[in-house]
Structures are given as C-alpha cells and as structure tokens.
Amino acid sequence: MGTGSSHHDGRTVEPAQWAPIDKSAADIARANLADFARVCREFSWAAERSQLAGLPGGGVNIAYEAVDRHLDDPTGSAPSLRWLPASGGCTTLGCTDLVSSSNRFANVLRSLGVRRGERMCTLLGRTPDLYISTLGAWKAGCVVSPLFSAFGPEPVRQRLALAEATTLVTTAAYYRRKVAPIRDSLPALRHVIVTDTEADLPAVVELPSAMTAAEPEFSIVRTGFEDPALLHFTSGTTGTPKGAMHVHGAIVAHRATARFALDLRAGDVFWCTADPGWVTGMSYGVIAPLSLGATVLSDEAEFDPQRWYDILTAERVSVWYTAPTALRMLMRHGDELPSGTDLSCLRFVASVGEPLNPEAVVWGERVLGRPVHDNWWQTETGAIMIANIAAAQVRPGSMGRPLPGVDSTVLRRGADGRAAVVHGTVTPAEVGEVGELALRAGWPSMCRGYLNEPGRYAKAFADGWYLTGDLARRDGDDYYWFVGRADDVIKSAGHLVGPFEVESALMAHPSVAEAGVIGTPDPVAGELVKAFVVLRPGYNPGESLRSELTAFGRRMLGAVAPKQIEFVDSLPHTRSGKVMRRLLKARELGLPEGDVSTLEAAR
Ligand code: ATP
Ligand code: MG
C-alpha cells in the first residue's frame, strides 16, 4: 500500500507521509489555549456566558456586545473596521463611528415602521454599509439574512422569498438588475433601502439622506439569549440551500471559539477573507473580532494574489482566516512570494470550508512561515467546533481536535452510510473507524431550526447528538480526520474511498493545482474512482502526464487510486468556493444538474 491508507471494513490507517508540525515551547506559552487540557476540563458555557457585558437593564444583543460595550470599557482595546475599497485607499471606522452609524440605521428602520422580529436581507458588497446596516438591524431587534452579492437574480429571489424579508438593503445597481424586475413577486418586501444618493428610483428609500436625518442615539431593543438574530443559508453543496436560524446568544460561542481556534485577541489586525454573506464571514468576519476588540479588515475587491500579499504586508495582518480554495490559488503561483512581501506580523493562519490538503498546510509553513491551521464547522453549528490550535502540534490532513465546550464523536454507520440509530440509540465508532461525525447538542451557537423545515431539522438529531452528515475518523489522540460528506464517499471493490484523500494525494504531484474525485458506476467494482484534474500553469494535459499521474496515484494510494483521470480547465465551485462533486457526478452521468442556483453568480 505504499504510504497511503487502507480502507478495509471501513477502517483506515493514517497517511504516514506528512510529519506533524510541532510548536516551540515559546509559541505554546504565548498562545490563547496554552493549557488546552486544563481549559477543556474546567470549561463551561455558563461561565463563558457570564463574560458577556449584557444590555444595561438585562438582555443580550449581538450589536451591543460587538461595539457598544467597548465604549464603557476604558481598559479594553476598542474594535474598528478598516475598509479597503476596490478602487484603492482605505477608510477606518472607529468604535464610536460604528456605534453612532448603527444607531442611526436602527432609527431609519424604526422610522419606516420595521418592528422587532422582522427579517432584513442585505445584498451588498463588502462595504461599510454592510457592517453598519447589520449592526443597526440587530439593535432594532430584526433578524439579519445576508445574501452574497454575487448571486444572480434567481438565487436572490429564492432567498428573499424564503426569508419573507420585509426589508432589503442593497445598492441601486443591484436593485435595478436583480430585484426591481421581481419585486412584484415578493409581497412581504415592504421596504427597499438603497445605499446610493440620487439613485432616482421609485419606491426605494435612499440611505444617505435617511441616515443624515436620523438621530445618532438609539435605545437597543431588549433581545434575549434565545431571540433570533441571523438567518444563514447553507452553501448548497449537496442540494437546495437550507435556512439555518441562529440566536443572539450564539455570540458566546463566536467569542470563545475565535479566542481558542483563531488565537484572536484584542488589538489583533484580523483578516477573514470570507464574505459576510456566508456564515464564516459573519461569525468571524464581523461578530467575533469586533466583540473581542480586534481591527477587522474588509477588502472590497475579489481575490488577486498580488493584492492579497500587499494587504497582508501593508496592513500588518496578525491573524488570517481563509479558505482552501484561496490557498490553492496562491499555491498555483509557486513558492516565490512577490517582492516586497513581509509577513513578519503574521502570527496565525487558519482555514475552513473544505478539506485542507496536507500539501497546503506544509506550504504555509514553508512559504508563509506559518503552518495553516485547518478547522471544521458548518452553517448549522454557527461556530468552529474542531480545530488545530496555536498551542498544539498541527497534523497535516487532520482538522484538529474538539474545542473546549464541544463534545464530539464519530458514530458507527448503518447500511445507508449514515450513523446507525437502533431503537433510538447510537454507538460510537472505534478509534480509526470511519463513521458519521456527531456533536452533543446544546452549544450556544447551534442553529435553532431550518426555516420552514422542522422535519428536516428534527431528523438531524438522534440520542442527544446532532448528526453532521460528514464522515470522519478519530486517531488515538482525538485528532479528527475528514473522510468526506456521507453523500460523496465512494464504494469501490469493497473499499471505502474518501474523495478528499485521493484529491490530496494527487495534489502532492507538482503538476496538480486542484482535483475533484467522484465514483462512477461499474458493474464489477460497484464504483470506480475518477479524478478531474486542473493542472498548474506550464503543464501539458497529454497521455504521458496522464500515465504519470495514474502511476503516481497508485504509488501513493494503492488499491483506491483513481482508475480514470480527466484533465479539465476548472472545477465547478459553489459561490462560497467549494468543489461541487455532485455536479461533476451529474455531468459524468449525463443527469440533470439539479439545483445549480448557487452557481448563478456571474450570469
Ligand atoms: P449544504 O449543506 O447546503 O450542502 P455545505 O454543507 O457546503 O452546503 P456549509 O455549511 O457552508 O454548507 O459547509 C459545511 C460543510 O463544509 C461541512 O459539513 C463539511 O462538509 C465542509 N467543511 C467545512 N470545513 C471543513 C474542513 N475543515 N474540512 C473538511 N470539510 C469541511
Ligand atoms: Mg451542509
């Protein structure tokens, strides 16, 4: 089997070729979770909850915890928003600016008659208006549902309709193109607020003049721990996006996990590259860093390697939270950083959203001077659950260990590949055995329901566990290893094949920039492993490279190596950047592509 893994009976052996990355004693001592074992033992969510400031007179409101609380805290470092417009330059909004602008926005909502509990969607690029309107809506007691601004008209319509939003904040240009033509089909939508002046549009409120007219003081609506604050749509990787509902009390988990998994602290310059239209960009691009007193960087522009290295350098970013797709794109440009790049302020790098290939972890160590720390969570969990932390060894290819307060396990699978539930009970898998990743219900940021789908939500729980739909295995030290989504795993000639492992093995070849692996039907083997491969610049997709890669795969993986390799120019991604294996499979089988709304973006 070479250095790869064997998968008989659903058991695997860890890939041996990636040495763990150790931390120096000094690095560990400096880290937020220097005493991981003790914190795990002593941790309680109740104690964590008592760290919140709380609204004067009682109640919890995310906006108050994010910004207002810092005004009364002379010892703490106040957060700020540092905005980098696509056109160049930068603007900084200090804590007092954020407080008064969000108060004004809350007053705008009140003057329109928008009431507590109503839903407000945002359809905005990464601009200060996005942050201000979100904070202001929470202050007014509204539920915010951020929509990714690159969505085309159809995904926007679907989500506005599902959310039954009464209010939308957007730009005049997005409104004209994506909303005006369908506004009649959205009876719940009473108010459209556009962020431009002189938009000259009928039936919209222009934000700049409304803000000027509004008072900078606002008495925050007394929301409670269990009051809804956010409606996040999932990425739609496996099907139609689900609407996950989150509460104000979730901030307890946002704060704790950002300290634990991102090593974040007051005074950090923090760059989360995810758009606030996705849960990562909201939990960690807005809520956690503001509430902890960090400077939040917000870059309006799209991905560009030179720009990103310039930002890391010029803004002296200390903590960087990004995604495997972005890292793979940076890796495509090789090990040579652009001249002038200086990453000496960069203390911690983390990644989420997709499996992080071990290659990318060690590339970080080699090229950025910091290993990339993978962590795992979902829209439903609201916050990071499993992570490689600053204070511990990084095992490349592993998503790390459960954070303090998180009770996770791997459950033995039944015939359908998901956790087996027998008479209402589940059974933990053994160390090394592949099973369904599950979390003991009850952490503060757990989603409280799927919008309009109570049955689907109820089905996600068994025996007190939330079943994640992901397959993983644990090693003897409680590090978790992602195998694949339950829907994506391949059964080939008696082997259980996780696409991630095959993709990671292929990515270790110098020619491979990205790979997507699926099973194709085969009368003898059940399924055959097929890989779609995107090459790095300078490599020719021909027969000789194909045979070389096939042999390379066989050496690395043995029996589970891909039998077929197809070269493609690009892989299909969700709007949040994830490889859509179900689409590769649908294309391969000539099936309809199902709900492709999440691919709508550029259309
Ligand atoms: P949908 O639920 O609509 O199909 P989605 O699951 O991609 O979409 P998200 O909630 O954005 O929507 O993504 C969570 C999923 O992303 C996880 O369940 C997991 O499959 C994957 N994921 C996230 N982080 C990691 C990670 N570090 N390693 C491996 N997979 C990850
Ligand atoms: Mg999901």
Side-chain angles (χ1 to χ4, degrees):
M1 281 291 299
T3 52
S5 310
S6 68
H7 295 255
H8 296 283
D9 308 325
R11 283 163 186 272
T12 60
V13 177
E14 282 153 43
Q17 71 268 42
W18 303 100
I21 300 172
D22 287 314
K23 306 289 176 61
S24 71
D27 277 347
I28 292 176
R30 268 196 297 270
N32 280 354
L33 260 186
D35 199 348
F36 180 70
R38 184 182 55 79
V39 178
C40 284
R41 264 195 323 273
E42 294 174 1
F43 184 88
S44 83
W45 286 114
E48 207 50 46
R49 185 173 168 169
S50 68
Q51 303 285 310
L52 294 183
L55 285 172
V60 177
N61 187 286
I62 292 180
Y64 184 83
E65 298 297 328
V67 288
D68 296 52
R69 76 172 284 182
H70 299 284
L71 292 181
D72 307 326
D73 178 7
T75 56
S77 165
S80 61
L81 174 69
R82 207 164 148 75
W83 179 55
L84 309 174
S87 54
C90 70
T91 304
T92 301
L93 278 83
C95 190
T96 41
D97 301 324
L98 291 169
V99 168
S100 59
S101 327
S102 55
N103 283 346
R104 284 181 197 274
F105 187 86
N107 279 317
V108 170
L109 290 180
R110 180 160 290 172
S111 69
L112 291 173
V114 178
R115 285 192 307 272
R116 178 179 184 151
E118 290 189 26
R119 296 201 191 101
M120 180 190 94
C121 286
T122 53
L123 180 66
L124 293 167
R126 289 178 295 277
T127 58
D129 289 322
L130 172 57
Y131 299 81
I132 290 164
S133 56
T134 299
L135 293 167
W138 284 325
K139 289 184 170 183
C142 294
V143 180
V144 177
S145 184
L147 306 184
F148 185 44
S149 64
F151 279 141
E154 181 49 24
V156 167
R157 189 197 61 75
Q158 273 180 15
R159 287 166 180 76
L160 280 171
L162 277 172
E164 294 179 276
T166 63
T167 309
L168 170 70
V169 190
T170 187
T171 65
Y174 289 149
Y175 177 71
R176 282 199 189 92
R177 196 155 74 80
K178 305 181 187 189
V179 182
I182 52 154
R183 190 164 173 183
D184 286 348
S185 70
L186 300 166
L189 186 62
R190 299 200 308 275
H191 312 288
V192 174
I193 300 173
V194 297
T195 55
D196 317 59
T197 25
E198 296 163 53
D200 199 21
L201 288 163
V204 303
V205 174
E206 287 181 9
L207 188 60
S209 51
M211 288 285 273
T212 312
E215 291 293 326
E217 314 289 338
F218 184 81
S219 167
I220 299 178
V221 169
R222 195 177 304 287
T223 43
F225 201 81
E226 287 297 322
D227 276 323
L230 276 160
L231 170 66
H232 272 301
F233 290 97
T234 60
S235 295
T237 312
T238 51
T240 318
K242 296 156 282 217
M245 297 188 286
H246 290 282
V247 296
H248 279 274
I251 192 173
V252 174
H254 299 146
R255 286 169 57 91
T257 55
R259 283 181 359 250
F260 293 156
L262 304 177
D263 204 44
L264 196 65
R265 29 191 115 140
D268 267 323
V269 178
F270 177 60
W271 189 21
C272 169
T273 61
D275 188 276
W278 305 107
V279 72
T280 304
M282 186 59 77
S283 294
Y284 298 100
V286 182
I287 301 172
L290 290 177
S291 80
L292 291 176
T295 295
V296 172
L297 269 190
S298 172
D299 180 25
E300 187 186 16
E302 291 312 314
F303 174 81
D304 174 74
Q306 179 71 53
R307 184 176 170 98
W308 278 32
Y309 286 122
D310 286 348
I311 290 174
L312 291 167
T313 302
E315 298 296 330
R316 306 167 64 85
V317 172
S318 54
V319 180
W320 185 30
Y321 194 22
T322 188
T325 321
L327 290 165
R328 285 194 291 260
M329 287 198 276
L330 292 175
M331 288 165 71
R332 272 174 94 160
H333 293 265
D335 281 12
E336 193 76 16
L337 295 183
S339 76
T341 304
D342 174 2
L343 305 180
S344 53
C345 293
L346 193 60
R347 190 179 79 242
F348 191 77
V349 183
S351 157
V352 74
E354 276 198 295
L356 182 68
N357 317 90
E359 189 70 26
V361 179
V362 296
W363 176 85
E365 169 89 341
R366 190 172 70 239
V367 177
L368 306 174
R370 299 278 162 206
V372 184
H373 296 75
D374 188 20
N375 57 54
W376 177 96
W377 57 295
Q378 305 179 312
T379 308
E380 289 88 339
T381 70
I384 302 169
M385 298 280 110
I386 294 177
N388 285 283
I389 58 170
Q393 186 181 65
V394 175
R395 300 194 176 174
S398 162
M399 49 204 195
R401 290 177 294 172
L403 291 178
V406 174
D407 184 2
S408 58
T409 190
V410 173
L411 296 175
R412 181 153 289 168
R413 297 177 313 141
D416 65 352
R418 302 281 310 265
V421 185
V422 182
H423 303 307
T425 55
V426 295
T427 312
E430 282 173 35
V431 166
E433 181 183 337
V434 174
E436 182 166 0
L437 175 60
L439 303 159
R440 173 70 65 189
W443 67 96
S445 62
M446 187 177 90
C447 101
R448 299 298 197 265
Y450 287 134
L451 184 70
N452 303 335
E453 295 184 281
R456 193 174 190 178
Y457 184 72
K459 263 204 211 131
F461 295 86
D463 205 2
W465 296 94
Y466 164 69
L467 311 176
T468 66
D470 284 346
L471 300 187
R473 63 200 160 82
R474 253 176 328 157
D475 67 21
D477 300 317
D478 216 24
Y479 276 77
Y480 281 67
W481 301 75
F482 183 80
V483 171
R485 293 162 184 271
D487 297 347
D488 282 344
V489 289
I490 304 162
K491 278 196 207 115
S492 185
H495 300 289
L496 175 74
V497 186
F500 166 51
E501 187 171 21
V502 180
E503 290 160 9
S504 289
L506 289 173
M507 278 195 57
H509 191 275
S511 68
V512 178
E514 195 171 31
V517 167
I518 60 164
T520 61
D522 179 78
V524 180
E527 284 185 295
L528 287 182
V529 180
K530 172 163 185 177
F532 295 84
V533 168
V534 180
L535 294 176
R536 288 190 192 226
Y539 287 91
N540 285 326
E543 266 328 302
S544 80
L545 184 53
R546 195 193 316 273
S547 342
E548 186 183 324
L549 277 177
T550 309
F552 180 78
R554 218 176 295 125
R555 268 202 314 282
M556 298 279 284
L557 296 160
V560 303
K563 299 280 183 294
Q564 291 168 286
I565 292 179
E566 183 175 330
F567 294 116
V568 289
D569 292 336
S570 63
L571 296 175
H573 288 100
T574 61
R575 284 307 312 163
S576 56
K578 297 167 194 252
V579 175
M580 287 177 108
R581 293 177 193 82
R582 74 180 162 97
L583 219 62
L584 288 172
K585 192 153 183 173
R587 284 177 193 169
E588 179 70 17
L589 303 180
L591 298 171
E593 293 188 350
D595 172 45
V596 290
S597 60
T598 46
L599 294 175
E600 196 72 12
R603 289 179 210 159

